[in-house]
Amino acid sequence: WEDRKPGLYHDCHSLATHQAAPDRVYLAAGGGVAWSQDAGVSWVKADEGLQHRYVWGLAVDAADPDLWYVSAASSASAAHRNQGDAGAGIYRKQGTQPWQMITGGTSGLPRELPSMPYALLAPRSTPAQIVAAFQNGELWSSDDSGHQWHQQLLSKRIPVIHALAGG
């Protein structure tokens, strides 16, 4: 480990890698997102299209290292206040395309999310699936890269979900 690279964001919230691109590292931080193609030696900021810049959750599609997702809010206070008005969104990035918000419209989730998606998971066994765990304890998933979302009903109410793990 070494300290933050000059010019890179402070306040790193999530890092990810992908087995099909072993030198690639993805970063979600308090000011935006970045990625590295040389195992973290150098970094490129990748914020084009993000309407929210306080980025927290991060996941990379199981089959495609060029398809990644982040959750973001307008600020730290908006993300963490837990009062039903996080004003957050979930975004998808494919290759060199700008980030696209994948909440709102007919997706099943509102455009501005009332609770922060703290954790995103792209299960290795299921390409195109993305799971979002929210600060309010809700769990939502999509089987089509975030085009349509469905709430997953849990047998027991969980007050807050901070992280997800899966294979």
Side-chain angles (χ1 to χ4, degrees):
W1 293 99
E2 62 182 271
D3 202 359
R4 179 185 63 89
K5 297 288 186 182
L8 194 57
Y9 295 113
H10 295 269
D11 194 21
C12 175
H13 296 139
S14 301
L15 288 171
T17 60
H18 196 283
Q19 61 188 15
D23 288 336
R24 195 174 298 177
V25 184
Y26 311 81
L27 172 132
V33 296
W35 64 292
S36 171
Q37 293 191 76
D38 55 14
V41 174
S42 63
W43 292 85
V44 175
K45 291 181 179 179
D47 299 321
E48 183 184 2
L50 282 180
Q51 297 170 23
H52 302 86
R53 296 297 289 276
Y54 186 78
V55 186
W56 193 270
L58 168 66
V60 184
D61 183 76
D64 185 356
D66 292 325
L67 177 58
W68 47 314
Y69 307 88
V70 296
S71 62
S74 58
S75 67
S77 61
H80 303 302
R81 68 176 149 232
N82 200 17
Q83 295 179 0
D85 60 350
I90 300 174
Y91 294 83
R92 174 182 55 230
K93 181 171 179 54
Q94 176 69 55
T96 59
Q97 297 297 310
W99 287 99
Q100 174 189 19
M101 188 182 287
I102 56 175
T103 51
T106 60
S107 73
L109 286 170
R111 181 163 178 81
E112 295 284 325
L113 301 171
S115 183
M116 183 66 182
Y118 274 154
L120 298 178
L121 172 70
R124 286 188 207 134
S125 60
T126 316
Q129 185 179 40
I130 182 77
V131 180
F134 288 79
Q135 180 187 31
N136 67 359
E138 290 182 3
L139 196 62
W140 287 72
S141 68
S142 171
D143 295 326
D144 60 3
S145 303
H147 294 283
Q148 292 292 312
W149 290 88
H150 309 280
Q151 186 173 13
Q152 303 299 306
L153 299 177
L154 304 173
S155 60
K156 188 170 185 169
R157 175 80 168 102
I158 300 172
V160 178
I161 302 176
H162 289 284
L164 292 171

